[in-house]
Amino acid sequence: MRITVTVDGVTYSDEVEPRMLLVQYLRERLGKVGTVVGCDTSNCGACTVHLDGHSVKSCSVLAVQADGCEVTTIEGLARDGQLHPVQQAFHDNHALQCGFCTPGMIMQAIDLLADNPEPTEDAVRQGLEGNLCRCTGYQNIVRAVRDAAERMRPGAGPEVERVSEGATAHAVGGGE
Amino acid sequence: MTATIEPELGRPRRRKEDARLITGRTRWTDNIALPGLLHMAVLRSPLAHAKISRLDAEAARSMPGVIAVLTGTDLAEQQGSLPCAWPITPDMASPQHPALAVDEVRFAGEPVALVVARSAAEARDAVEAIDVDYEDLPVVLDMEAALADGSPLVHQDLGTNRCATWVFDSGEAGTGEDVDRVIAEARERGDVVLERRFRQQRLIPAFMEPRSVVVDPTGEQITMWSATQVPHILRLMLAMTLGVPEQKIRVIAPDVGGGFGGKLQVTPEEVLTFLAARRIGRPVKWTESRSESMVSAHHGRDQIQRLTLAARRDGTLLGLKVDLLADMGAYLGLVTPGIPILGAFMFNAIYKLPAYRFSCTNVFTNKTWTDAYRGAGRPEATYAIERMMDELAAELGKDPLEVREQNWIKHEEFPYTTVAGLTYDSGNYEAATEEAKRLFDYQALRREQAERRERGDAVQLGIGVSTYTEMCGLAPSRVLGSLSYGAGGWEHAAIRMLATGKVEVITGSSPHGQGHETAWSQIIADKLGVPFEDVEVIHGDTQSAHKGMDTYGSRSLSVGGVAAAMAADRVIEKASKIAAHLLECSEDDLEFTAGRFAVRGTDRGTAIQEVALAAFAAHDLPEGVEPSLDAEVTFDPENFSFPHGTHLCAAEVDTETGRVRIRSYVCVDDVGKVVNPLIVEGQVHGGLAQGIAQALYEEAVFDEMGTLTTATLADYLVPSAADLPTFTTARTETPATTNPLGVKGVGEAGTIASTPAVVNAVVDAVRHLGVNDVDMPCTPMRVWHAIHRGAGAAPTEMATGAEAGGGLGSIDGGDQ
């Protein structure tokens, strides 16, 4: 089947097998290997991306279901060399160790903050329940998400949490 | 000139590693794509024990995109036997361990055949088309039953399910008295003699990145990328197992997504990918699914522990006898038999114990083989002794901290040689405990506990204590040798001073989330007085980091980091000669601070970067001095290091539902000197999470046929953020005296300490209801049963919550 998908600001048109998962399409066809696969039962959340602005586990979406949609991955978050505030907060709060869960965790955290810009600690913990991390014990992840919420308050640039619109996102900067 | 640079050691540097990890610029093994890359998939046995009576791969061979289908028979001549580097006794029963089963399978998940195809999907499709007939053989799952006369055998040719029995006896070793005599005398006198049986359930390391291997056979060297903790050991073992010249193999561990001991292995799939790629002559990749990982990557723990503790009525310890059964599973992996033996030195823990005997029998069963998992032998030991100390306190009607303090080694008694024969170099258990009690508000919680008991509240409060130590920094080669381990425990580091004054540090330690790039940069920046940003840390590739012993056993900093610091000292020594020459002074007149050689009492001096350039140009060097500042060190410490600490857990137990909620958790750890407090704190958090998970959530459960029923992350309960509390962490600092950095290691501390703290809290909450033990994981069902059955409730495993999805808080969705 032919699909047309915009991923991190670039539009692609491809023939895909009906059974191909969105995450396989991202990794194997587009080389978007920043999004990873951690399980085969949609429990770990490592593959979380945004589909039309909302977080989805890309192992639970068929590529064909993304036809006509806009996808944002971890690789499309930083803009013009500037990290997204959630990325920056993960770095500043030492919210990652091996980093394998980090892309999914960051994408889920952004979605959580879009729904609830000032989450309590408990709300963050509940909101990240579908994303597993084996390294950090979550404490610094929770801290990072709340820190990011502070940074994204009005005046700190609220538009940064809306990645679905006009997210050209061509620059994947490092930059500390 | 005064140095104004902030000291690097002890500074909470944000990590260098993060930049690529938070932007998706990662190099996981599964991300690697090479021209002509093929994909491998593995067919696994669905049965725990069976003969392979027929295997028909014809249909699979003719499927589209299939390049090769290989069976055990095809590879029998080349695959050798997967290595076990730790024959713990000379008479250890050691089975053949084929990468692909040839005619018999011995656990469900064992590889039976492989397919190499153009795409991963085609390879998996073809695996489905392989037709195998199995002839059932009797399945052996229970360790005690496996040792009984007439038990069916896992390995017919060994004639026994007993792998080995390893004994340490303080009477025989001369490190203490004869424990049997001590216990007998204690009984005669009417002292306290406590006997307990504890179960260390089987766990799954469950690193987040599934294992992956890529092998490129097209170069002069065969290159393997693998999601491994041990690229150097892997290269050596591939060479020895497959008879390939070592210099013809290059192993690269790129970004590795966690390991926790689970990637300390030489896996069947690494061997199979290597053999398949070499045979076909094209690069081949294998990446496991999570389900494959759960059934076939090695498991951890799994012991039955029987303990006898003797003490005087005043609480003074007299002797401890430990009898273990340790489940090897079906085969021996890289260090499988040695894992429980690592606990032999830790059951005596921080206590002054006059008599001690440890005996461990390793047993084969038809289950996934076990091997290292975070803590490896030491969490099991710490759990048992810390549970026993609480039992002793309960027996005597004393506060558990008081009984511990009465018996622990006082800070002024270090160095202290224990009844197990180790010498603890330093520690201060009093200080850590005092701080933990303060942060926890111990007395207030005890008061609340008493009030709730008096009121008969439905939700009872329990306080759990764990005062642990651990031996880490797995090193002293002579000690490892005395334990029959197959290799040494040194670590290598090298420093390259570049012409521009920048620095490359090469380490043989192989990180997979620990933050070596940041910590090593801090160590070297501190030593050489160069900017943190000017240091590049190179690791994980046997070509660039050519020598190493890799990362496990909390050894990276205390062995590898120390090696790097020592290499920096050598660089300074070499630079000093050249600096003296350039400054036309005697070396004795030079002092080196903050990256600058200064002539004492003058304003003359030169920066180390300038010396590096002078060494590179080599135009004007002193006689006999080589034009290089580069240096390398292979460091073998004289002793282990011994972090310690005090962990306190307050748990609320709902007596009506059995539900456990951790209300507060305080830990004060002493890991010696700290290079980066941010990284240390992160290691403690993660360790706590895994230790708490053992206490409350995780268990690998097999059904009566030997099928793993917890083979997905829906069934094997790795806790989520919603299942864990916020931890209060703090540190005391007693420098190690056995290495120049004073560091002790922190990777396993949280895991080792937390499990008994939590279970002690659970038992403490309901002890007045007649409970003196709850099997792990303390699921609501198990806790409820213990309360309602009363005394000594150690319910049988199958009946009480040992099932998939047994007790995770988040699984029933509610806010806690």
Side-chain angles (χ1 to χ4, degrees):
Chain A
M1 295 176 72
R2 178 155 290 276
I3 60 169
T4 302
V5 190
T6 302
V7 180
D8 296 336
V10 177
T11 302
Y12 302 88
S13 186
D14 278 301
E15 265 318 308
V16 298
E17 270 193 83
R19 67 173 177 173
M20 180 173 254
L21 302 174
L22 177 57
V23 69
Q24 293 169 328
Y25 177 68
L26 293 172
R27 289 181 57 81
E28 295 166 20
R29 298 293 284 276
L30 305 187
K32 289 275 178 185
V33 291
T35 301
V36 296
V37 181
C39 75
D40 42 19
T41 49
S42 75
N43 290 99
C44 81
C47 64
T48 304
V49 299
H50 291 181
L51 187 66
D52 287 341
H54 295 286
S55 69
V56 295
K57 292 179 176 177
S58 61
C59 72
S60 305
V61 177
L62 293 166
V64 294
Q65 289 176 290
D67 185 29
C69 295
E70 188 166 346
V71 174
T72 305
T73 78
I74 188 72
E75 297 174 54
L77 280 186
R79 292 189 217 164
D80 303 326
Q82 287 293 304
L83 293 174
H84 187 285
V86 175
Q87 289 174 308
Q88 188 66 48
F90 268 61
H91 174 60
D92 291 345
N93 290 280
H94 185 38
L96 59 147
Q97 290 179 31
C98 84
F100 195 78
C101 75
T102 306
M105 204 61 89
I106 287 176
M107 299 312 284
Q108 180 58 24
I110 294 170
D111 190 65
L112 187 161
L113 291 175
D115 287 346
N116 182 357
E118 291 179 56
T120 61
E121 180 186 324
D122 198 48
V124 174
R125 287 183 179 273
Q126 297 295 334
L128 296 177
E129 194 187 68
N131 291 69
L132 296 178
C133 169
R134 193 59 157 167
C135 295
T136 65
Y138 304 101
Q139 187 145 325
N140 289 347
I141 293 176
V142 174
R143 193 179 288 166
V145 175
R146 299 192 73 200
D147 181 28
E150 283 290 321
R151 298 170 195 226
M152 289 161 67
R153 280 189 175 178
E159 79 283 356
V160 289
E161 75 197 53
R162 284 184 241 293
V163 295
S164 60
E165 294 155 30
T168 48
H170 53 84
V172 179
E176 284 168 81
Chain B
M1 213 174 93
T2 323
T4 52
I5 310 167
E6 189 184 336
E8 282 294 340
L9 295 187
R11 186 172 179 180
R13 280 277 190 192
R14 270 55 182 170
R15 297 198 319 169
K16 287 186 168 181
E17 291 85 345
D18 293 355
R20 64 180 192 277
L21 297 169
I22 56 176
T23 53
R25 270 193 298 118
T26 36
R27 291 195 188 85
W28 312 112
T29 301
D30 187 52
N31 292 1
I32 291 165
L34 299 171
L37 182 67
L38 303 172
H39 298 264
M40 184 175 98
V42 176
L43 175 68
R44 295 176 188 280
S45 167
L47 301 175
H49 199 189
K51 284 261 179 231
I52 301 170
S53 50
R54 191 184 63 95
L55 194 156
D56 181 358
E58 280 321 299
R61 284 200 174 92
S62 60
M63 286 177 68
V66 172
I67 312 294
V69 180
L70 297 172
T71 67
T73 312
D74 297 327
L75 296 181
E77 297 302 309
Q78 305 151 47
Q79 66 180 352
S81 182
L82 289 163
C84 172
W86 203 338
I88 55 167
T89 59
D91 62 348
M92 181 177 86
S94 193
Q96 284 294 304
H97 189 175
L100 266 192
V102 178
D103 50 16
E104 188 172 330
V105 290
R106 295 183 177 86
F107 72 95
E110 184 167 355
V112 169
L114 66 86
V115 174
V116 178
R118 179 184 53 178
S119 71
E122 285 167 319
R124 285 185 185 182
D125 286 346
V127 157
E128 298 283 313
I130 299 174
D131 192 20
V132 187
D133 288 345
Y134 295 100
E135 195 180 307
D136 279 318
L137 291 170
V139 172
V140 183
L141 297 173
D142 179 78
M143 281 190 273
E144 284 162 332
L147 292 176
D149 285 343
S151 167
L153 297 174
V154 177
H155 297 276
Q156 202 65 40
D157 55 328
L158 297 180
T160 176
N161 291 321
R162 181 188 301 269
C163 167
T165 298
W166 192 95
V167 176
F168 175 86
D169 187 305
S170 66
E172 288 167 18
T175 53
E177 298 170 42
D178 174 349
V179 81
D180 284 323
R181 186 176 51 74
V182 166
I183 290 171
E185 288 170 1
R187 283 190 208 277
E188 276 172 29
R189 280 196 305 269
D191 289 341
V192 181
V193 179
L194 292 175
E195 294 181 45
R196 289 287 186 277
R197 177 188 193 270
F198 297 128
R199 185 79 172 94
Q200 282 286 325
Q201 81 270 35
R202 181 177 273 249
L203 299 179
I204 300 179
F207 33 76
M208 289 317 296
E209 180 209 16
R211 297 171 305 163
S212 181
V213 189
V214 174
V215 176
D216 182 358
T218 60
E220 270 308 303
Q221 290 176 310
I222 298 185
T223 302
M224 172 183 286
W225 290 261
S226 183
T228 180
Q229 295 174 225
V230 291
H232 298 92
I233 293 174
L234 177 56
R235 172 164 100 148
L236 174 66
M237 289 298 162
L238 285 172
M240 291 173 71
T241 304
L242 301 175
V244 178
E246 191 179 351
Q247 80 279 11
K248 290 294 182 190
I249 304 174
R250 173 185 180 189
V251 175
I252 301 171
D255 286 335
V256 177
F260 315 109
K263 290 173 180 170
L264 166 52
Q265 195 54 271
V266 176
T267 69
E269 295 83 1
E270 283 163 340
V271 167
L272 295 175
T273 312
F274 188 98
L275 291 176
R278 194 176 62 173
R279 195 168 172 125
I280 296 164
R282 284 172 65 178
V284 173
K285 179 196 285 184
W286 170 80
T287 300
E288 69 184 353
S289 69
R290 176 59 60 180
S291 308
E292 278 185 288
S293 189
M294 300 299 270
V295 297
S296 68
H298 71 246
H299 295 173
R301 312 277 193 267
D302 208 346
Q303 295 180 356
I304 296 170
Q305 309 178 308
R306 283 198 181 73
L307 293 100
T308 309
L309 181 72
R312 287 209 191 93
R313 285 277 154 197
D314 70 357
T316 309
L317 296 181
L318 295 172
L320 175 68
K321 190 175 174 183
V322 177
D323 286 296
L324 300 185
L325 295 181
D327 196 341
M328 304 288 96
Y331 295 100
L332 302 178
L334 190 61
V335 289
T336 301
I339 297 300
I341 309 311
L342 283 172
F345 307 96
M346 284 288 112
F347 277 89
N348 53 299
I350 64 171
Y351 308 113
K352 291 182 282 191
L353 200 63
Y356 173 57
R357 180 183 164 89
F358 168 96
S359 168
C360 178
T361 295
N362 291 346
V363 186
F364 292 113
T365 61
N366 290 112
K367 284 179 268 183
T368 308
W369 86 77
T370 59
D371 208 314
Y373 172 53
R374 201 170 191 171
R378 292 154 292 160
E380 296 92 318
T382 302
Y383 178 81
I385 185 62
E386 289 304 296
R387 283 285 297 110
M388 288 305 268
M389 292 306 283
D390 261 35
E391 292 303 298
L392 177 63
E395 175 72 21
L396 298 172
K398 287 191 169 197
D399 183 287
L401 277 171
E402 186 191 333
V403 177
R404 285 171 170 82
E405 180 157 16
Q406 189 178 344
N407 286 288
W408 72 41
I409 303 157
K410 307 286 182 288
H411 69 273
E412 67 272 14
E413 292 175 312
F414 290 94
Y416 182 90
T417 299
T418 74
V419 74
L422 293 181
T423 301
Y424 296 174
D425 61 326
S426 68
N428 189 332
Y429 309 140
E430 296 93 325
T433 303
E434 209 43 55
E435 180 64 0
K437 281 171 76 171
R438 190 184 69 76
L439 291 167
F440 192 65
D441 205 350
Y442 188 78
Q443 297 308 340
L445 283 164
R446 281 288 180 212
R447 278 195 298 277
E448 184 186 334
Q449 177 184 38
E451 288 160 14
R452 287 204 195 186
R453 279 195 186 179
E454 201 159 316
R455 284 199 306 267
D457 281 6
V459 177
Q460 289 289 317
L461 181 66
I463 295 168
V465 175
S466 170
T467 51
Y468 76 101
T469 187
E470 55 162 331
M471 52 190 259
C472 65
L474 280 192
S477 296
R478 69 183 164 79
V479 177
L480 295 178
S482 72
L483 296 172
S484 312
Y485 181 63
W490 45 261
E491 194 50 270
H492 174 262
I495 293 180
R496 297 199 287 239
M497 289 299 294
L498 305 180
T500 52
K502 310 292 183 191
V503 184
E504 288 174 337
V505 183
I506 294 123
T507 178
S509 185
S510 191
H512 36 283
Q514 294 87 348
H516 290 30
E517 291 164 30
T518 304
W520 272 229
S521 294
Q522 289 180 260
I523 293 169
I524 299 308
D526 178 77
K527 277 280 179 191
L528 298 181
V530 300
F532 172 76
E533 295 76 15
D534 284 1
V535 183
E536 196 72 22
V537 178
I538 294 164
H539 59 77
D541 180 342
T542 60
Q543 188 150 292
S544 51
H546 68 281
K547 189 178 170 82
M549 274 292 175
D550 307 318
T551 287
Y552 43 86
S554 304
R555 71 190 302 275
S556 287
L557 180 60
S558 59
V559 192
V562 171
M566 293 167 84
D569 286 335
R570 287 200 190 161
V571 168
I572 296 165
E573 265 173 52
K574 290 175 84 171
S576 176
K577 288 189 171 40
I578 298 172
H581 178 75
L582 295 174
L583 294 165
E584 297 176 325
C585 69
S586 153
E587 244 188 290
D588 298 337
D589 294 334
L590 284 180
E591 58 186 7
F592 182 69
T593 34
R596 191 175 162 80
F597 293 95
V599 184
R600 256 188 220 96
T602 74
D603 58 358
R604 291 168 59 235
T606 183
I608 192 161
Q609 290 91 341
E610 293 168 323
V611 181
L613 184 61
F616 169 78
H619 296 163
D620 180 20
L621 298 179
E623 196 68 33
V625 167
E626 66 167 341
S628 169
L629 298 185
D630 298 355
E632 65 178 315
V633 164
T634 303
F635 173 57
D636 198 343
E638 63 185 68
N639 196 355
F640 298 104
S641 59
F642 301 96
H644 70 83
T646 297
H647 288 219
L648 298 172
C649 174
E652 292 182 338
V653 177
D654 187 327
T655 57
E656 292 171 352
T657 64
R659 175 88 172 257
V660 176
R661 187 183 80 93
I662 293 179
R663 181 160 117 192
S664 65
Y665 195 102
V666 168
C667 62
V668 178
D669 295 295
D670 190 330
V671 298
K673 288 293 219 185
V674 161
V675 173
N676 185 322
L678 209 58
I679 290 176
V680 165
E681 195 188 16
Q683 284 288 327
V684 171
H685 290 164
L688 292 176
Q690 288 182 15
I692 291 169
Q694 172 169 18
L696 297 181
Y697 303 129
E698 296 181 14
E699 180 171 21
V701 181
F702 291 82
D703 69 12
E704 68 283 4
M705 304 294 290
T707 305
L708 182 70
T709 61
T710 52
T712 72
L713 292 175
D715 307 298
Y716 186 83
L717 303 179
V718 172
S720 79
D723 304 308
L724 292 170
T726 299
F727 315 115
T728 303
T729 61
R731 285 188 290 106
T732 53
E733 195 169 293
T734 321
T737 62
T738 51
N739 69 67
L741 291 179
V743 297
K744 294 185 174 179
V746 69
E748 296 160 298
T751 310
I752 289 171
S754 59
T755 311
V758 175
V759 176
N760 278 338
V762 172
V763 174
D764 186 54
V766 293
R767 193 183 286 279
H768 63 294
L769 303 174
V771 176
N772 68 9
D773 194 25
V774 180
D775 269 359
M776 295 188 291
C778 299
T779 60
M781 193 185 288
R782 281 206 176 112
V783 174
W784 189 90
H785 267 271
I787 293 167
H788 290 265
R789 284 185 183 194
T796 56
E797 286 157 37
M798 286 302 183
T800 51
E803 67 265 350
L808 197 59
S810 60
I811 214 159
D812 52 23
D815 290 349
Q816 283 144 44

